[in-house]
């Protein structure tokens, strides 16, 4: 463990580095550099690797990695819109509709297909209006990209058909789950579906997706240890923990992320309470000097005193919950590792202050940049911009090749690996750009008239895109307003159906007498009490005027007028 004095020194150095503010002109220049980085990688993929999943930047060719979906193109689609390239967004969205087929005999990761493919298509669907695409009537509750996302997600549903509701890790897109599939999967592979699946359910009206995601979350919740922790890998049939290391990093990370973001996006207290209870155990057993170690899930004893690069999302998550003090201190620890190597090694030994053997690589992960974006939004501290500039220059210096950007095999000597993961364009570049564009529409930036919001839903009665986007764990932004718009429209339709159904029912003598009593007003001079007697239920008359929805624009003397009046 590093002595406290070292952390104070690092904090002082970082504060000194942050003393020089970045001007608007400097930030604009950095955004242009980030765009150039994106297009160097993106064009290299199109020229050398498409339609394969990923680019191999050292040999200038492609390979399939996660299922043969042209994955980099799906993952990068919404980044095109973030950078303002509507023309290419439209071209690629049309291309994917014509070329991608999910009816293929391929074994695919349920987790990766969800966060990259389903998440990427949902995000692109929700940004299609802003991208100037021709929209179907009722968008965002319908559309071709939404149907593609739904098709991909349906291919994953067989994995959830288990006794516990927790999914298998792999599914064949054509044949379902193999009889020989292992029941052991990581915690994140069970708990990282609620954002995409709830979005699908509320946009399409099919509750199946959200239901299976919630069932998996609740089943996982019941398996936590007596001290409130979960392990790393679980048998989803027997509910036995196979790997009992508890932490916030690889194999667990996005489970906690989705409890928080799901709570925010869905306004869901159940998810938030789950996370808060976990967080109490995490703070009690895994946090040491604002580092988070790995401990035995039943005893709380330290099992691995390491920092993993995937843990760098945590300060950003803390900032979403308002815990800025803890977020800042933990970020400073992680930033000190970055400055030591010019990147975050996959594993870093905290007591030794150095990389862990065979875990020295840096596959251009986005997590520390993601946290910097959230913390800059929360604090305005230019320390986080300095991290962004450090990251940009490190990647340019270490990882750039004539054919894109290569993962760093070893941060000690900057050896490269022949792979450019799709998340480089989906997350790393996107978070870098958004870090240096604080008025971007995804932050809720802009002013009225600048097009920072748009209309949607039946008749254009919904306000979309006015801020509050939630990023899934692959940095695909989802708009909670769209979920509300479509689910509210479905509820309005159901309410109308119920009213018409009730009107079609014959009214008997007893019903008429009851109706007469219910509709009788109070005696003259006496107000009707709104307090009910114990056990009494207030029933509305058979035909009543429902509360007017948002579509009602104004009223005169109690008479309500809507747009089509």
């Amino acid at each position: 463990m590093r002595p406290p004095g070292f952390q104070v020194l690092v904090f002082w150095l970082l504060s000194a580095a942050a003393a020089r503010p970045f001007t608007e002109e400097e930030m604009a220049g950095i955004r242009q550099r980030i765009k150039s980085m994106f297009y160097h990688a993106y064009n290299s993929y199109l020229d050398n690797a498409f339609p394969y999943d990923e680019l191999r930047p050292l040999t200038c060719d492609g390979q399939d990695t996660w299922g043969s979906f042209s994955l980099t193109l799906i993952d990068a689609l919404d980044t095109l819109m973030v950078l303002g390239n509507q023309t290419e967004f439209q071209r690629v969205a049309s291309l994917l509709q014509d070329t991608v087929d999910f009816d293929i005999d391929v074994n695919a990761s349920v987790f990766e297909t969800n966060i990259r493919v389903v998440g990427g298509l949902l995000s692109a669907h929700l940004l299609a209006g802003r991208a100037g695409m021709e929209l179907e009537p009722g968008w965002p509750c319908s559309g071709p990209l939404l149907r593609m996302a739904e098709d991909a997600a349906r291919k994953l549903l067989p994995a959830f058909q288990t006794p516990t509701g927790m999914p298998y890790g792999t599914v064949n897109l054509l044949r379902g789950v193999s009889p020989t599939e292992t029941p052991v999967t990581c915690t994140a592979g069970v708990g990282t579906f609620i954002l995409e699946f709830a979005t699908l359910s509320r946009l399409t009206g099919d509750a199946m997706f959200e239901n299976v995601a919630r069932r998996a979350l609740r089943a996982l919740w019941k398996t936590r240890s007596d001290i409130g922790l979960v392990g790393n890998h679980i048998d989803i049939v027997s509910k036995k923990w196979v790997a009992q290391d508890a932490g916030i990093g690889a194999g667990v990370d996005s489970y906690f992320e989705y409890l928080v973001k799901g709570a925010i996006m869905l306004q869901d207290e159940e998810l938030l309470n789950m996370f808060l209870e976990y967080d109490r155990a995490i703070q009690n057993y895994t946090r040491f000097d604002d580092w988070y170690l790995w401990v035995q899930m039943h005893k709380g004893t330290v099992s691995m005193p390491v920092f993993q690069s995937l843990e760098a999302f945590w300060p950003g998550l803390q900032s979403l919950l308002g815990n800025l003090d803890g977020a800042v201190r933990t970020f400073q620890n992680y930033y000190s590792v970055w400055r030591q190597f010019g990147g975050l090694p996959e594993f870093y030994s905290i007591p030794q202050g150095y990389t862990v053997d065979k875990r020295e690589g840096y596959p251009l992960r986005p997590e520390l940049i993601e946290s910097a974006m959230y913390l800059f939004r929360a604090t305005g501290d230019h320390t986080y911009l300095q991290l962004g500039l450090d990251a940009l220059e490190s990647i340019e210096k270490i990882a750039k090749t004539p054919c894109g950007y290569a993962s760093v095999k070893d941060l000690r000597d900057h050896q490269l690996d022949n792979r450019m993961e799709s998340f480089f364009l989906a997350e790393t570049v996107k978070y870098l750009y958004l870090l240096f564009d604080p008025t971007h529409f995804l932050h809720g930036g802009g002013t009225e008239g600048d097009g920072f919001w748009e209309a949607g839903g039946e008749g254009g009665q919904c306000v979309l895109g006015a801020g509050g986007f939630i990023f899934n764990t692959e940095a695909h932004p989802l708009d909670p307003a769209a979920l509300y718009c479509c689910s509210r429209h479905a509820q309005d339709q159901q309410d109308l159906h119920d009213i018409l159904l009730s009107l079609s029912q014959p009214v008997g003598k007893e019903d008429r007498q009851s109706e007469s009593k219910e509709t009788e007003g109070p005696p003259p001079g006496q107000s009707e009490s709104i307090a009910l007697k114990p056990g009494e239920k207030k029933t509305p008359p058979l035909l009543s005027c429902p509360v007017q929805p948002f579509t009602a624009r104004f009223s005169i003397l109690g008479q309500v007028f809507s747009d089509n009046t």
Side-chain angles (χ1 to χ4, degrees):
M1 192 72 63
R2 290 192 182 279
F6 176 84
Q7 295 183 10
V8 172
L9 175 61
V10 169
F11 184 84
W12 180 85
L13 288 172
L14 295 175
S15 298
R20 183 189 70 80
F22 287 73
T23 65
E24 289 294 330
E25 291 75 16
E26 285 179 297
M27 292 172 68
I30 293 170
R31 288 198 296 273
Q32 288 303 315
R33 291 178 61 183
I34 297 167
K35 282 187 177 182
S36 297
M37 170 185 282
F38 173 84
Y39 286 113
H40 176 63
Y42 178 77
N43 291 331
S44 294
Y45 168 78
L46 287 179
D47 294 341
N48 301 287
F50 177 78
Y52 290 104
D53 280 341
E54 290 180 357
L55 170 70
R56 297 205 303 170
L58 300 184
T59 51
C60 285
D61 56 10
Q63 64 178 344
D64 282 335
T65 51
W66 294 111
S68 190
F69 310 123
S70 301
L71 183 60
T72 293
L73 210 53
I74 294 176
D75 238 358
L77 181 53
D78 57 16
T79 309
L80 287 166
M81 193 56 218
V82 170
L83 301 181
N85 194 337
Q86 296 185 3
T87 303
E88 183 66 1
F89 180 98
Q90 293 177 22
R91 185 189 77 82
V92 172
S94 298
L95 177 65
L96 290 173
Q97 293 171 48
D98 294 336
T99 59
V100 174
D101 182 9
F102 297 116
D103 288 319
I104 51 178
D105 189 4
V106 166
N107 293 324
S109 163
V110 180
F111 169 84
E112 298 289 354
T113 304
N114 176 57
I115 67 171
R116 303 193 195 208
V117 178
V118 178
L121 291 170
L122 284 173
S123 177
H125 163 72
L126 293 173
L127 295 175
R130 192 178 296 274
M133 294 189 69
E134 184 176 348
L135 303 176
E136 292 184 0
W139 175 89
C141 312
S142 65
L145 293 173
L146 176 61
R147 287 189 287 275
M148 285 183 69
E150 183 180 5
D151 186 22
R154 287 198 185 280
K155 298 293 185 181
L156 306 181
L157 290 179
F160 291 82
Q161 294 172 5
T162 66
T164 63
M166 293 188 283
Y168 285 99
T170 303
V171 66
N172 185 285
L173 300 182
L174 197 61
R175 309 175 190 280
V177 178
S178 168
T180 60
E181 176 65 24
T182 175
V184 176
T185 190
C186 67
T187 305
V190 174
T192 308
F193 295 92
I194 190 64
L195 290 184
E196 297 84 4
F197 277 30
T199 297
L200 265 177
S201 283
R202 300 193 185 196
L203 293 182
T204 65
D206 187 342
M208 168 86 64
F209 300 104
E210 184 171 348
N211 288 343
V212 299
R214 286 189 180 275
R215 185 181 176 216
L217 282 175
R218 288 166 179 158
L220 187 56
W221 170 250
K222 293 177 182 177
T223 66
R224 65 196 188 282
S225 70
D226 291 340
I227 61 174
L229 295 172
V230 287
N232 200 278
H233 281 74
I234 190 171
D235 185 314
I236 54 95
V237 174
S238 68
K239 297 186 285 188
K240 303 282 188 182
W241 284 102
V242 177
Q244 299 186 4
D245 295 308
I248 61 170
V252 186
D253 48 356
S254 54
Y255 171 43
F256 297 137
E257 178 186 1
Y258 271 43
L259 290 178
V260 172
K261 291 182 176 179
I264 296 170
M265 186 175 81
L266 306 173
Q267 295 294 287
D268 192 300
E269 290 187 18
E270 179 187 14
L271 301 181
L272 181 60
N273 288 334
M274 284 180 179
F275 176 80
L276 292 177
E277 186 162 332
Y278 278 131
D279 192 42
R280 282 190 287 270
I282 289 167
Q283 300 302 325
N284 285 338
Y285 294 102
T286 75
R287 183 170 65 89
F288 297 86
D289 290 338
D290 298 303
W291 295 94
Y292 291 82
L293 312 184
W294 290 83
V295 302
Q296 210 283 339
M297 65 177 289
H298 297 288
K299 302 175 183 177
T301 53
V302 175
S303 57
M304 290 191 298
V306 300
F307 157 62
Q308 298 178 352
S309 61
L310 283 170
E311 297 171 17
F313 83 100
W314 189 258
L317 197 69
Q318 288 179 302
S319 74
L320 284 176
L321 292 165
N323 182 10
L324 286 180
D325 288 342
V328 167
R329 291 194 300 270
T330 297
F331 182 91
Q332 300 290 7
N333 285 342
Y334 298 169
Y335 189 11
S336 71
V337 178
W338 180 287
R339 290 169 69 90
Q340 185 178 353
F341 296 100
L344 290 184
E346 293 287 71
F347 281 39
Y348 178 84
S349 171
I350 298 170
Q352 296 176 355
Y354 207 64
T355 60
V356 174
D357 187 41
K358 297 182 180 178
R359 294 290 188 274
E360 304 93 350
Y362 168 55
L364 310 184
R365 291 197 188 278
E367 282 76 16
L368 191 63
I369 302 166
E370 173 188 5
S371 285
M373 182 198 75
Y374 282 116
L375 284 168
F376 179 62
R377 285 173 55 182
T379 67
D381 187 339
H382 284 219
T383 297
Y384 306 107
L385 297 182
Q386 185 61 53
L387 174 277
L389 183 57
D390 288 350
L392 174 62
E393 293 181 341
S394 292
I395 293 170
E396 286 284 346
K397 181 178 180 180
I398 299 172
K400 188 173 184 179
T401 75
C403 234
Y405 292 85
S407 297
V408 181
K409 186 175 184 179
D410 193 328
L411 276 170
R412 298 171 301 176
D413 57 12
H414 298 165
Q415 291 182 54
L416 297 180
D417 202 2
N418 194 19
R419 187 173 186 187
M420 187 180 81
E421 291 240 29
S422 69
F423 61 64
F424 177 66
L425 294 180
E427 300 185 76
T428 308
V429 175
K430 183 185 295 162
Y431 281 134
L432 259 181
Y433 189 85
L434 291 173
L435 171 62
F436 286 95
D437 192 359
T439 62
H440 196 278
F441 73 86
L442 287 178
H443 297 317
T447 57
E448 189 171 355
D450 286 347
F452 72 102
W453 66 272
E454 54 190 331
E458 293 289 337
Q461 80 275 28
C462 295
V463 174
L464 306 178
F469 285 85
I470 301 296
F471 293 90
N472 86 336
T473 197
E474 191 76 4
H476 295 307
L478 303 172
D479 185 0
L483 278 62
Y484 174 74
C485 176
C486 296
S487 58
R488 192 198 69 186
H489 174 69
Q491 185 61 50
D492 287 348
Q493 294 291 100
Q494 184 62 47
D495 290 345
L496 179 60
H497 175 270
D498 292 344
I499 290 173
L500 294 176
L501 185 64
S502 66
L503 285 173
S504 68
Q505 301 298 322
V507 181
K509 181 178 179 181
E510 292 181 0
D511 292 329
R512 284 194 295 270
Q513 291 176 347
S514 174
E515 177 186 339
S516 176
K517 291 180 181 178
E518 288 173 354
T519 55
E520 285 182 0
Q526 181 179 337
S527 299
E528 181 181 5
S529 173
I530 62 172
L532 301 180
K533 298 176 182 178
E536 182 182 359
K537 292 185 178 179
K538 187 178 178 70
T539 55
L542 187 61
L543 181 60
S544 61
C545 182
V547 176
Q548 287 294 322
F550 182 66
T551 47
R553 295 294 191 253
F554 60 94
S555 63
I556 301 176
L557 298 178
Q559 177 61 53
V560 177
F561 296 83
S562 58
D563 284 347
N564 57 1
T565 300

